[in-house]
Amino acid sequence: MIIILGLATVTALTVNLISPRGIALFGEWDTARGVITAKPKDDAVSREREIQDIAVAKMLHDSGQAVFVDVRAPGMYEAGRIQGAVSLPLNQIDEGMDDFKAQYPYDTLIITYCSGRECDDSHEAAQCLIGQGYTTVRVFLDGFPGWQEHGYPIEPQTGTSTP
Amino acid sequence: MVAALMACERLAAWSVSGKDMGQISNHKNSLSLSAGSPGSINDHAKTVFGNPWLELAARWFLGLTFLYASYHKIIAPAHFAKIVYGYYLFPNFSINLIAVILPFIELFAAGALILGIYPRSAALIIIGMLIGFVIVLSINLIRGQAFDCGCFSFGDPGHSSPAGQLLIRDIIYLIVGLEVLFFDRRRLWCIRDIKGQDRFETM
């Protein structure tokens, strides 16, 4: 049994070291620090891009200078989104990129978001947008749940009664 | 490899001593005599679970299952690390280590089961892991917690695996693993088995 366990451990560490899909031996799993990540070699998560303070995100939203990009699934976007956000689902980002680029110039301040600090899709999308030539892309790490919890404007608006 | 397996088979066949042959003969007699007696169900169960072909099927089934399971974890360790995190049971420092090492333990144990290299030890490892999975799944089932980060990198957003189904599946695997662990006769298609060695040595 020790032979099997020993061989498996040595092989695992060796493969992880040389594999392009390998991850760090210790990841970042504390949501207080930002979006969680296993820290793979091609990690899209960048702390520099993250907007940690939700008040800053709200200020940028209110200024009207930033475009909020919702990268969640279309159904989640339809159910509720940050007011004025545009949908660019991560799994359809290549298909939607041409339309997006036609609408927003490369120097637009873009803020991506998804479902919060356990979701790294916003980082993946940010990296993709930077790769396409966008110069100022930030990630709102608390995503839609955090925005909603703070009572900031969302759409479609809930709580309205119909006659 | 086929030649090695055939040699192994021949070696194992030669290793069955006269005492063992006597035991087998007595066993057959006891089976025929005990039909209809109160102990017949027990004897019948022993015959079924002592069938080397059943043991071989159990070993290969478990081996192939874990081989397949390990493959997906090995090619996407970051994804698997997120699954480990999603149980909310492991300390942060251990998550990546589990995600890196555990799939290879599955792979090596699965390979050992399929090839018949120390199958009892491999079964013990698999059973240990399955007991761990069952405990982890049970805790999350009791807590009513299912991890869904709502992200594409984790699979379908809004979808989480039902812990109950996974629990039942793992218990079935556990039963299959016990068959391999407690099988005490000569195993078929086995490259290296401690039991077989012991028999050879005591001739």
Side-chain angles (χ1 to χ4, degrees), chain B residues 134-167:
Chain B
V134 167
I135 291 169
V136 164
L137 287 168
S138 301
I139 291 170
N140 273 13
L141 200 63
I142 292 163
R143 292 196 304 194
Q145 198 158 32
F147 179 65
D148 174 29
C149 65
C151 40
F152 290 106
S153 57
F154 192 70
D156 296 332
H159 172 79
S160 58
S161 298
Q165 281 181 23
L166 295 175
L167 194 62

PDB file of all heavy atoms in Angstrom, chain B residues 134-167:
ATOM      1  N   VAL B 134     -17.991   9.056   1.265  1.00  0.00           N
ATOM      2  CA  VAL B 134     -19.312   8.838   1.879  1.00  0.00           C
ATOM      3  C   VAL B 134     -19.486   9.765   3.091  1.00  0.00           C
ATOM      4  O   VAL B 134     -20.552  10.386   3.261  1.00  0.00           O
ATOM      5  CB  VAL B 134     -19.486   7.350   2.282  1.00  0.00           C
ATOM      6  CG1 VAL B 134     -20.686   7.164   3.193  1.00  0.00           C
ATOM      7  CG2 VAL B 134     -19.645   6.481   1.032  1.00  0.00           C
ATOM      8  N   ILE B 135     -18.444   9.890   3.907  1.00  0.00           N
ATOM      9  CA  ILE B 135     -18.524  10.772   5.081  1.00  0.00           C
ATOM     10  C   ILE B 135     -18.742  12.227   4.636  1.00  0.00           C
ATOM     11  O   ILE B 135     -19.631  12.919   5.141  1.00  0.00           O
ATOM     12  CB  ILE B 135     -17.243  10.639   5.944  1.00  0.00           C
ATOM     13  CG1 ILE B 135     -17.197   9.250   6.608  1.00  0.00           C
ATOM     14  CG2 ILE B 135     -17.172  11.742   7.007  1.00  0.00           C
ATOM     15  CD1 ILE B 135     -15.863   8.915   7.260  1.00  0.00           C
ATOM     16  N   VAL B 136     -17.934  12.657   3.662  1.00  0.00           N
ATOM     17  CA  VAL B 136     -18.018  14.043   3.181  1.00  0.00           C
ATOM     18  C   VAL B 136     -19.396  14.332   2.583  1.00  0.00           C
ATOM     19  O   VAL B 136     -20.029  15.351   2.877  1.00  0.00           O
ATOM     20  CB  VAL B 136     -16.888  14.297   2.146  1.00  0.00           C
ATOM     21  CG1 VAL B 136     -17.147  15.548   1.337  1.00  0.00           C
ATOM     22  CG2 VAL B 136     -15.539  14.394   2.855  1.00  0.00           C
ATOM     23  N   LEU B 137     -19.874  13.396   1.747  1.00  0.00           N
ATOM     24  CA  LEU B 137     -21.188  13.583   1.114  1.00  0.00           C
ATOM     25  C   LEU B 137     -22.308  13.580   2.156  1.00  0.00           C
ATOM     26  O   LEU B 137     -23.254  14.366   2.067  1.00  0.00           O
ATOM     27  CB  LEU B 137     -21.441  12.483   0.080  1.00  0.00           C
ATOM     28  CG  LEU B 137     -20.648  12.590  -1.223  1.00  0.00           C
ATOM     29  CD1 LEU B 137     -20.764  11.305  -2.022  1.00  0.00           C
ATOM     30  CD2 LEU B 137     -21.127  13.763  -2.068  1.00  0.00           C
ATOM     31  N   SER B 138     -22.168  12.689   3.149  1.00  0.00           N
ATOM     32  CA  SER B 138     -23.199  12.610   4.194  1.00  0.00           C
ATOM     33  C   SER B 138     -23.274  13.912   4.981  1.00  0.00           C
ATOM     34  O   SER B 138     -24.373  14.410   5.281  1.00  0.00           O
ATOM     35  CB  SER B 138     -22.899  11.453   5.138  1.00  0.00           C
ATOM     36  OG  SER B 138     -22.847  10.254   4.429  1.00  0.00           O
ATOM     37  N   ILE B 139     -22.107  14.455   5.310  1.00  0.00           N
ATOM     38  CA  ILE B 139     -22.083  15.720   6.062  1.00  0.00           C
ATOM     39  C   ILE B 139     -22.793  16.816   5.259  1.00  0.00           C
ATOM     40  O   ILE B 139     -23.627  17.559   5.783  1.00  0.00           O
ATOM     41  CB  ILE B 139     -20.626  16.128   6.397  1.00  0.00           C
ATOM     42  CG1 ILE B 139     -20.022  15.158   7.425  1.00  0.00           C
ATOM     43  CG2 ILE B 139     -20.566  17.559   6.922  1.00  0.00           C
ATOM     44  CD1 ILE B 139     -18.533  15.320   7.632  1.00  0.00           C
ATOM     45  N   ASN B 140     -22.467  16.884   3.957  1.00  0.00           N
ATOM     46  CA  ASN B 140     -23.098  17.926   3.130  1.00  0.00           C
ATOM     47  C   ASN B 140     -24.585  17.679   2.911  1.00  0.00           C
ATOM     48  O   ASN B 140     -25.366  18.620   2.793  1.00  0.00           O
ATOM     49  CB  ASN B 140     -22.375  18.044   1.788  1.00  0.00           C
ATOM     50  CG  ASN B 140     -21.205  18.998   1.875  1.00  0.00           C
ATOM     51  OD1 ASN B 140     -20.797  19.377   2.969  1.00  0.00           O
ATOM     52  ND2 ASN B 140     -20.668  19.405   0.750  1.00  0.00           N
ATOM     53  N   LEU B 141     -24.955  16.394   2.887  1.00  0.00           N
ATOM     54  CA  LEU B 141     -26.376  16.057   2.742  1.00  0.00           C
ATOM     55  C   LEU B 141     -27.143  16.484   3.987  1.00  0.00           C
ATOM     56  O   LEU B 141     -28.237  17.052   3.888  1.00  0.00           O
ATOM     57  CB  LEU B 141     -26.518  14.538   2.520  1.00  0.00           C
ATOM     58  CG  LEU B 141     -27.811  14.049   1.885  1.00  0.00           C
ATOM     59  CD1 LEU B 141     -27.972  14.600   0.486  1.00  0.00           C
ATOM     60  CD2 LEU B 141     -27.820  12.525   1.834  1.00  0.00           C
ATOM     61  N   ILE B 142     -26.539  16.223   5.149  1.00  0.00           N
ATOM     62  CA  ILE B 142     -27.178  16.619   6.421  1.00  0.00           C
ATOM     63  C   ILE B 142     -27.265  18.143   6.505  1.00  0.00           C
ATOM     64  O   ILE B 142     -28.272  18.707   6.933  1.00  0.00           O
ATOM     65  CB  ILE B 142     -26.392  16.027   7.617  1.00  0.00           C
ATOM     66  CG1 ILE B 142     -26.552  14.498   7.644  1.00  0.00           C
ATOM     67  CG2 ILE B 142     -26.849  16.628   8.941  1.00  0.00           C
ATOM     68  CD1 ILE B 142     -25.528  13.775   8.495  1.00  0.00           C
ATOM     69  N   ARG B 143     -26.191  18.804   6.069  1.00  0.00           N
ATOM     70  CA  ARG B 143     -26.179  20.274   6.118  1.00  0.00           C
ATOM     71  C   ARG B 143     -27.077  20.891   5.052  1.00  0.00           C
ATOM     72  O   ARG B 143     -27.355  22.088   5.069  1.00  0.00           O
ATOM     73  CB  ARG B 143     -24.754  20.805   5.899  1.00  0.00           C
ATOM     74  CG  ARG B 143     -23.804  20.470   7.035  1.00  0.00           C
ATOM     75  CD  ARG B 143     -22.554  21.303   6.996  1.00  0.00           C
ATOM     76  NE  ARG B 143     -21.829  21.212   5.740  1.00  0.00           N
ATOM     77  CZ  ARG B 143     -20.586  21.632   5.567  1.00  0.00           C
ATOM     78  NH1 ARG B 143     -19.926  22.181   6.566  1.00  0.00           N
ATOM     79  NH2 ARG B 143     -19.979  21.531   4.410  1.00  0.00           N
ATOM     80  N   GLY B 144     -27.461  20.052   4.075  1.00  0.00           N
ATOM     81  CA  GLY B 144     -28.280  20.566   2.974  1.00  0.00           C
ATOM     82  C   GLY B 144     -27.522  21.526   2.093  1.00  0.00           C
ATOM     83  O   GLY B 144     -28.073  22.451   1.499  1.00  0.00           O
ATOM     84  N   GLN B 145     -26.228  21.284   2.006  1.00  0.00           N
ATOM     85  CA  GLN B 145     -25.377  22.202   1.260  1.00  0.00           C
ATOM     86  C   GLN B 145     -24.948  21.601  -0.075  1.00  0.00           C
ATOM     87  O   GLN B 145     -24.439  20.483  -0.120  1.00  0.00           O
ATOM     88  CB  GLN B 145     -24.123  22.496   2.077  1.00  0.00           C
ATOM     89  CG  GLN B 145     -23.384  23.720   1.638  1.00  0.00           C
ATOM     90  CD  GLN B 145     -22.509  24.237   2.767  1.00  0.00           C
ATOM     91  OE1 GLN B 145     -21.996  23.510   3.591  1.00  0.00           O
ATOM     92  NE2 GLN B 145     -22.340  25.533   2.815  1.00  0.00           N
ATOM     93  N   ALA B 146     -25.192  22.315  -1.143  1.00  0.00           N
ATOM     94  CA  ALA B 146     -24.731  21.904  -2.466  1.00  0.00           C
ATOM     95  C   ALA B 146     -24.009  23.082  -3.090  1.00  0.00           C
ATOM     96  O   ALA B 146     -24.568  24.165  -3.197  1.00  0.00           O
ATOM     97  CB  ALA B 146     -25.903  21.475  -3.326  1.00  0.00           C
ATOM     98  N   PHE B 147     -22.776  22.857  -3.482  1.00  0.00           N
ATOM     99  CA  PHE B 147     -21.974  23.960  -4.005  1.00  0.00           C
ATOM    100  C   PHE B 147     -22.354  24.281  -5.446  1.00  0.00           C
ATOM    101  O   PHE B 147     -22.407  23.398  -6.293  1.00  0.00           O
ATOM    102  CB  PHE B 147     -20.493  23.598  -3.943  1.00  0.00           C
ATOM    103  CG  PHE B 147     -19.589  24.672  -4.490  1.00  0.00           C
ATOM    104  CD1 PHE B 147     -19.502  25.902  -3.865  1.00  0.00           C
ATOM    105  CD2 PHE B 147     -18.832  24.453  -5.624  1.00  0.00           C
ATOM    106  CE1 PHE B 147     -18.673  26.894  -4.360  1.00  0.00           C
ATOM    107  CE2 PHE B 147     -17.992  25.434  -6.123  1.00  0.00           C
ATOM    108  CZ  PHE B 147     -17.911  26.655  -5.489  1.00  0.00           C
ATOM    109  N   ASP B 148     -22.639  25.547  -5.692  1.00  0.00           N
ATOM    110  CA  ASP B 148     -22.866  26.033  -7.051  1.00  0.00           C
ATOM    111  C   ASP B 148     -22.388  27.470  -7.103  1.00  0.00           C
ATOM    112  O   ASP B 148     -23.013  28.361  -6.532  1.00  0.00           O
ATOM    113  CB  ASP B 148     -24.348  25.944  -7.420  1.00  0.00           C
ATOM    114  CG  ASP B 148     -24.634  26.576  -8.762  1.00  0.00           C
ATOM    115  OD1 ASP B 148     -23.719  26.570  -9.606  1.00  0.00           O
ATOM    116  OD2 ASP B 148     -25.745  27.084  -8.942  1.00  0.00           O
ATOM    117  N   CYS B 149     -21.258  27.671  -7.771  1.00  0.00           N
ATOM    118  CA  CYS B 149     -20.696  29.022  -7.829  1.00  0.00           C
ATOM    119  C   CYS B 149     -21.365  29.840  -8.923  1.00  0.00           C
ATOM    120  O   CYS B 149     -21.081  31.017  -9.090  1.00  0.00           O
ATOM    121  CB  CYS B 149     -19.187  28.975  -8.042  1.00  0.00           C
ATOM    122  SG  CYS B 149     -18.709  28.276  -9.627  1.00  0.00           S
ATOM    123  N   GLY B 150     -22.257  29.216  -9.691  1.00  0.00           N
ATOM    124  CA  GLY B 150     -22.937  29.937 -10.769  1.00  0.00           C
ATOM    125  C   GLY B 150     -21.998  30.330 -11.890  1.00  0.00           C
ATOM    126  O   GLY B 150     -22.199  31.340 -12.545  1.00  0.00           O
ATOM    127  N   CYS B 151     -20.961  29.537 -12.080  1.00  0.00           N
ATOM    128  CA  CYS B 151     -19.973  29.921 -13.104  1.00  0.00           C
ATOM    129  C   CYS B 151     -19.756  28.810 -14.128  1.00  0.00           C
ATOM    130  O   CYS B 151     -19.920  27.635 -13.838  1.00  0.00           O
ATOM    131  CB  CYS B 151     -18.661  30.326 -12.451  1.00  0.00           C
ATOM    132  SG  CYS B 151     -18.167  29.335 -11.060  1.00  0.00           S
ATOM    133  N   PHE B 152     -19.367  29.227 -15.324  1.00  0.00           N
ATOM    134  CA  PHE B 152     -19.153  28.281 -16.415  1.00  0.00           C
ATOM    135  C   PHE B 152     -17.942  27.398 -16.156  1.00  0.00           C
ATOM    136  O   PHE B 152     -17.907  26.261 -16.599  1.00  0.00           O
ATOM    137  CB  PHE B 152     -18.952  29.028 -17.736  1.00  0.00           C
ATOM    138  CG  PHE B 152     -20.201  29.677 -18.228  1.00  0.00           C
ATOM    139  CD1 PHE B 152     -20.371  31.042 -18.139  1.00  0.00           C
ATOM    140  CD2 PHE B 152     -21.217  28.924 -18.785  1.00  0.00           C
ATOM    141  CE1 PHE B 152     -21.528  31.648 -18.591  1.00  0.00           C
ATOM    142  CE2 PHE B 152     -22.376  29.515 -19.239  1.00  0.00           C
ATOM    143  CZ  PHE B 152     -22.538  30.885 -19.149  1.00  0.00           C
ATOM    144  N   SER B 153     -16.951  27.946 -15.455  1.00  0.00           N
ATOM    145  CA  SER B 153     -15.725  27.180 -15.212  1.00  0.00           C
ATOM    146  C   SER B 153     -15.975  25.987 -14.306  1.00  0.00           C
ATOM    147  O   SER B 153     -15.132  25.125 -14.149  1.00  0.00           O
ATOM    148  CB  SER B 153     -14.651  28.078 -14.593  1.00  0.00           C
ATOM    149  OG  SER B 153     -15.135  28.661 -13.410  1.00  0.00           O
ATOM    150  N   PHE B 154     -17.162  25.920 -13.698  1.00  0.00           N
ATOM    151  CA  PHE B 154     -17.490  24.823 -12.799  1.00  0.00           C
ATOM    152  C   PHE B 154     -18.481  23.854 -13.448  1.00  0.00           C
ATOM    153  O   PHE B 154     -18.838  22.861 -12.866  1.00  0.00           O
ATOM    154  CB  PHE B 154     -18.082  25.394 -11.498  1.00  0.00           C
ATOM    155  CG  PHE B 154     -18.192  24.378 -10.404  1.00  0.00           C
ATOM    156  CD1 PHE B 154     -17.054  23.890  -9.786  1.00  0.00           C
ATOM    157  CD2 PHE B 154     -19.413  23.904  -9.990  1.00  0.00           C
ATOM    158  CE1 PHE B 154     -17.135  22.947  -8.778  1.00  0.00           C
ATOM    159  CE2 PHE B 154     -19.511  22.965  -8.973  1.00  0.00           C
ATOM    160  CZ  PHE B 154     -18.368  22.487  -8.368  1.00  0.00           C
ATOM    161  N   GLY B 155     -18.911  24.159 -14.643  1.00  0.00           N
ATOM    162  CA  GLY B 155     -19.918  23.315 -15.301  1.00  0.00           C
ATOM    163  C   GLY B 155     -21.093  24.176 -15.686  1.00  0.00           C
ATOM    164  O   GLY B 155     -20.933  25.330 -16.047  1.00  0.00           O
ATOM    165  N   ASP B 156     -22.270  23.609 -15.607  1.00  0.00           N
ATOM    166  CA  ASP B 156     -23.464  24.376 -15.933  1.00  0.00           C
ATOM    167  C   ASP B 156     -23.834  25.277 -14.760  1.00  0.00           C
ATOM    168  O   ASP B 156     -24.057  24.795 -13.660  1.00  0.00           O
ATOM    169  CB  ASP B 156     -24.646  23.444 -16.223  1.00  0.00           C
ATOM    170  CG  ASP B 156     -24.403  22.584 -17.438  1.00  0.00           C
ATOM    171  OD1 ASP B 156     -23.652  23.040 -18.321  1.00  0.00           O
ATOM    172  OD2 ASP B 156     -24.935  21.464 -17.499  1.00  0.00           O
ATOM    173  N   PRO B 157     -23.929  26.600 -14.996  1.00  0.00           N
ATOM    174  CA  PRO B 157     -24.345  27.474 -13.906  1.00  0.00           C
ATOM    175  C   PRO B 157     -25.730  27.096 -13.410  1.00  0.00           C
ATOM    176  O   PRO B 157     -26.611  26.765 -14.199  1.00  0.00           O
ATOM    177  CB  PRO B 157     -24.359  28.862 -14.548  1.00  0.00           C
ATOM    178  CG  PRO B 157     -23.520  28.745 -15.761  1.00  0.00           C
ATOM    179  CD  PRO B 157     -23.660  27.347 -16.230  1.00  0.00           C
ATOM    180  N   GLY B 158     -25.891  27.131 -12.104  1.00  0.00           N
ATOM    181  CA  GLY B 158     -27.183  26.783 -11.520  1.00  0.00           C
ATOM    182  C   GLY B 158     -27.373  25.294 -11.322  1.00  0.00           C
ATOM    183  O   GLY B 158     -28.393  24.842 -10.849  1.00  0.00           O
ATOM    184  N   HIS B 159     -26.342  24.515 -11.673  1.00  0.00           N
ATOM    185  CA  HIS B 159     -26.464  23.060 -11.527  1.00  0.00           C
ATOM    186  C   HIS B 159     -25.476  22.568 -10.480  1.00  0.00           C
ATOM    187  O   HIS B 159     -24.323  22.957 -10.463  1.00  0.00           O
ATOM    188  CB  HIS B 159     -26.167  22.371 -12.854  1.00  0.00           C
ATOM    189  CG  HIS B 159     -26.088  20.880 -12.741  1.00  0.00           C
ATOM    190  ND1 HIS B 159     -27.216  20.099 -12.681  1.00  0.00           N
ATOM    191  CD2 HIS B 159     -25.041  20.041 -12.651  1.00  0.00           C
ATOM    192  CE1 HIS B 159     -26.840  18.833 -12.574  1.00  0.00           C
ATOM    193  NE2 HIS B 159     -25.534  18.769 -12.552  1.00  0.00           N
ATOM    194  N   SER B 160     -25.937  21.706  -9.592  1.00  0.00           N
ATOM    195  CA  SER B 160     -25.027  21.067  -8.640  1.00  0.00           C
ATOM    196  C   SER B 160     -25.391  19.595  -8.546  1.00  0.00           C
ATOM    197  O   SER B 160     -26.543  19.211  -8.716  1.00  0.00           O
ATOM    198  CB  SER B 160     -25.145  21.724  -7.263  1.00  0.00           C
ATOM    199  OG  SER B 160     -26.462  21.640  -6.797  1.00  0.00           O
ATOM    200  N   SER B 161     -24.373  18.773  -8.306  1.00  0.00           N
ATOM    201  CA  SER B 161     -24.611  17.326  -8.270  1.00  0.00           C
ATOM    202  C   SER B 161     -25.419  16.950  -7.037  1.00  0.00           C
ATOM    203  O   SER B 161     -25.109  17.398  -5.940  1.00  0.00           O
ATOM    204  CB  SER B 161     -23.268  16.602  -8.234  1.00  0.00           C
ATOM    205  OG  SER B 161     -22.538  16.893  -9.388  1.00  0.00           O
ATOM    206  N   PRO B 162     -26.451  16.129  -7.219  1.00  0.00           N
ATOM    207  CA  PRO B 162     -27.247  15.718  -6.053  1.00  0.00           C
ATOM    208  C   PRO B 162     -26.430  14.789  -5.160  1.00  0.00           C
ATOM    209  O   PRO B 162     -26.009  13.719  -5.598  1.00  0.00           O
ATOM    210  CB  PRO B 162     -28.444  15.008  -6.680  1.00  0.00           C
ATOM    211  CG  PRO B 162     -28.008  14.628  -8.054  1.00  0.00           C
ATOM    212  CD  PRO B 162     -26.916  15.538  -8.466  1.00  0.00           C
ATOM    213  N   ALA B 163     -26.217  15.201  -3.918  1.00  0.00           N
ATOM    214  CA  ALA B 163     -25.367  14.445  -2.991  1.00  0.00           C
ATOM    215  C   ALA B 163     -25.947  13.067  -2.705  1.00  0.00           C
ATOM    216  O   ALA B 163     -25.204  12.105  -2.529  1.00  0.00           O
ATOM    217  CB  ALA B 163     -25.190  15.241  -1.709  1.00  0.00           C
ATOM    218  N   GLY B 164     -27.285  12.960  -2.669  1.00  0.00           N
ATOM    219  CA  GLY B 164     -27.933  11.686  -2.378  1.00  0.00           C
ATOM    220  C   GLY B 164     -27.576  10.624  -3.398  1.00  0.00           C
ATOM    221  O   GLY B 164     -27.229   9.491  -3.044  1.00  0.00           O
ATOM    222  N   GLN B 165     -27.633  10.989  -4.689  1.00  0.00           N
ATOM    223  CA  GLN B 165     -27.306  10.034  -5.757  1.00  0.00           C
ATOM    224  C   GLN B 165     -25.847   9.604  -5.671  1.00  0.00           C
ATOM    225  O   GLN B 165     -25.509   8.432  -5.838  1.00  0.00           O
ATOM    226  CB  GLN B 165     -27.564  10.673  -7.121  1.00  0.00           C
ATOM    227  CG  GLN B 165     -29.024  10.675  -7.522  1.00  0.00           C
ATOM    228  CD  GLN B 165     -29.234  11.306  -8.890  1.00  0.00           C
ATOM    229  OE1 GLN B 165     -28.331  11.355  -9.708  1.00  0.00           O
ATOM    230  NE2 GLN B 165     -30.425  11.813  -9.123  1.00  0.00           N
ATOM    231  N   LEU B 166     -24.979  10.590  -5.420  1.00  0.00           N
ATOM    232  CA  LEU B 166     -23.550  10.296  -5.321  1.00  0.00           C
ATOM    233  C   LEU B 166     -23.279   9.356  -4.146  1.00  0.00           C
ATOM    234  O   LEU B 166     -22.435   8.468  -4.227  1.00  0.00           O
ATOM    235  CB  LEU B 166     -22.745  11.590  -5.148  1.00  0.00           C
ATOM    236  CG  LEU B 166     -22.769  12.568  -6.315  1.00  0.00           C
ATOM    237  CD1 LEU B 166     -22.040  13.854  -5.949  1.00  0.00           C
ATOM    238  CD2 LEU B 166     -22.116  11.960  -7.556  1.00  0.00           C
ATOM    239  N   LEU B 167     -24.019   9.566  -3.073  1.00  0.00           N
ATOM    240  CA  LEU B 167     -23.865   8.750  -1.868  1.00  0.00           C
ATOM    241  C   LEU B 167     -24.235   7.295  -2.148  1.00  0.00           C
ATOM    242  O   LEU B 167     -23.486   6.369  -1.807  1.00  0.00           O
ATOM    243  CB  LEU B 167     -24.748   9.321  -0.758  1.00  0.00           C
ATOM    244  CG  LEU B 167     -24.504   8.839   0.655  1.00  0.00           C
ATOM    245  CD1 LEU B 167     -23.110   9.190   1.118  1.00  0.00           C
ATOM    246  CD2 LEU B 167     -25.518   9.447   1.609  1.00  0.00           C
TER     247      LEU B 167
END
